[in-house]
Amino acid sequence: MFKTRLLSGIVLVALLLLTIIPGGYMLFIPLVGISLIGMQELYRAMKISSEGSHSLEITGYVCVLLYYGAVLLDFEKFGMAAVLVSLILLMSVYVFTYPKYHANQVMAAFFGIVYVSVMLSCIYLTRSLPGGIYHVWLIFLCSWGCDTCAYCVGVLIGKHKMAPVLSPKKSVEGAIGGVVGAVLLGVAYAAATGGELAAYGIICGVGALISMVGDLAASAIKRNQEIKDYGKLIPGHGGILDRFDSVIFTAPIIYFLSTILM
């Protein structure tokens, strides 16, 4: 299992390099695909489709394309409008097909658009900022770096449970080690790229804290829906949401902190 996870991780890093470094459409198109796959995983887990009817699910995918079109045109002008139009479209399906769908399904469908697509789109938005070719890596550095450091510290000295019911293996010591490790990684990255040491350290520290919320949130949804993994797309890791659960939360945080601090 470890070998499989390692090989999958290497492939993921290679794909990130091939898409993020050039940016533009080379990043935008794969990100749309990742968002749609992640949405499909969440919709399957949340049982969005009703028996014999997939109109709500299909509308959700259309809304994702609509939103990404707005991002490509001008996020600041059209982003919020696309999100609101998405809600209206989903509610239209709800009322005009009533009683095929329950209100909970509609809310879950809209939640999926924001939780997966809107938040993941911040990877592209961060890459598009001035200096974004450097800032965008902070998203992965603080999320996956925090996860790795937290695991190592937790295994070595972890004693106090952070979320005993939701995730018994996670410890307070591990969480602290993850945040400290992410800050140090951010500072080292700043030194290597000529970035601002304090700014990168703060961004990675805040991002690390938020990444843990993202990790636990994804776990909570899986527990509620009584599933082990969201999918099997990535060998040794699960689905898109299993691997990008923390990135989903850190991406918007890094995007907004980059616009403020850089």
Side-chain angles (χ1 to χ4, degrees):
M1 177 61 74
F2 174 76
K3 183 178 179 181
T4 302
R5 285 179 63 88
L6 178 61
L7 290 174
S8 296
I10 293 172
V11 172
L12 280 174
V13 172
L15 290 174
L16 286 174
L17 290 170
L18 290 173
T19 56
I20 290 178
I21 290 177
Y25 287 108
M26 287 292 291
L27 173 60
F28 182 82
I29 294 174
L31 196 57
V32 173
I34 289 172
S35 296
L36 289 171
I37 295 171
M39 283 269 291
Q40 192 270 337
E41 292 176 352
L42 184 66
Y43 278 8
R44 183 175 60 243
M46 302 293 286
K47 300 177 176 62
I48 299 299
S49 294
S50 293
E51 187 175 347
S53 179
H54 300 279
S55 53
L56 187 64
E57 181 179 4
I58 293 171
T59 303
Y61 299 144
V62 171
C63 291
V64 170
L65 297 176
L66 175 68
Y67 169 75
Y68 270 102
V71 169
L72 196 60
L73 289 174
D74 191 321
F75 172 73
E76 293 186 358
K77 287 184 178 180
F78 305 115
M80 181 58 70
V83 172
L84 296 177
V85 169
S86 297
L87 178 58
I88 293 171
L89 289 175
L90 292 173
M91 292 302 293
S92 297
V93 172
Y94 176 49
V95 299
F96 289 118
T97 62
Y98 190 85
K100 284 186 177 180
Y101 296 101
H102 193 276
N104 290 341
Q105 290 174 293
V106 181
M107 288 184 280
F110 181 67
F111 167 75
I113 294 170
V114 178
Y115 174 60
V116 181
S117 300
V118 174
M119 297 179 81
L120 276 179
S121 72
C122 290
I123 296 175
Y124 174 79
L125 293 172
T126 304
R127 175 62 181 84
S128 301
L129 292 171
I133 191 171
Y134 299 109
H135 304 162
V136 69
W137 293 106
L138 296 175
I139 295 172
F140 304 97
L141 192 64
C142 69
S143 56
W144 293 345
C146 173
D147 186 46
T148 302
C149 292
Y151 174 78
C152 293
V153 173
V155 168
L156 291 174
I157 60 172
K159 293 181 180 180
H160 302 86
K161 303 298 183 183
M162 183 173 68
V165 176
L166 181 56
S167 188
K169 293 183 179 180
K170 286 183 169 57
S171 66
V172 174
E173 293 83 359
I176 295 172
V179 174
V180 173
V183 171
L184 293 177
L185 286 171
V187 171
Y189 179 68
T193 60
E196 299 180 25
L197 298 181
Y200 276 38
I202 292 171
I203 289 174
C204 279
V206 174
L209 287 170
I210 300 300
S211 75
M212 288 186 282
V213 177
D215 183 19
L216 292 171
S219 297
I221 294 173
K222 286 191 288 187
R223 283 185 177 272
N224 282 159
Q225 302 306 123
E226 298 180 345
I227 59 174
K228 183 179 183 296
D229 293 316
Y230 284 103
K232 299 179 181 179
L233 180 65
I234 308 173
H237 293 272
I240 289 294
L241 296 184
D242 294 297
R243 181 64 277 181
F244 287 84
D245 49 6
S246 57
V247 171
I248 286 173
F249 271 59
T250 56
I253 296 301
I254 300 305
Y255 169 67
F256 288 112
L257 286 178
S258 295
T259 60
I260 295 170
L261 298 178
M262 300 300 185

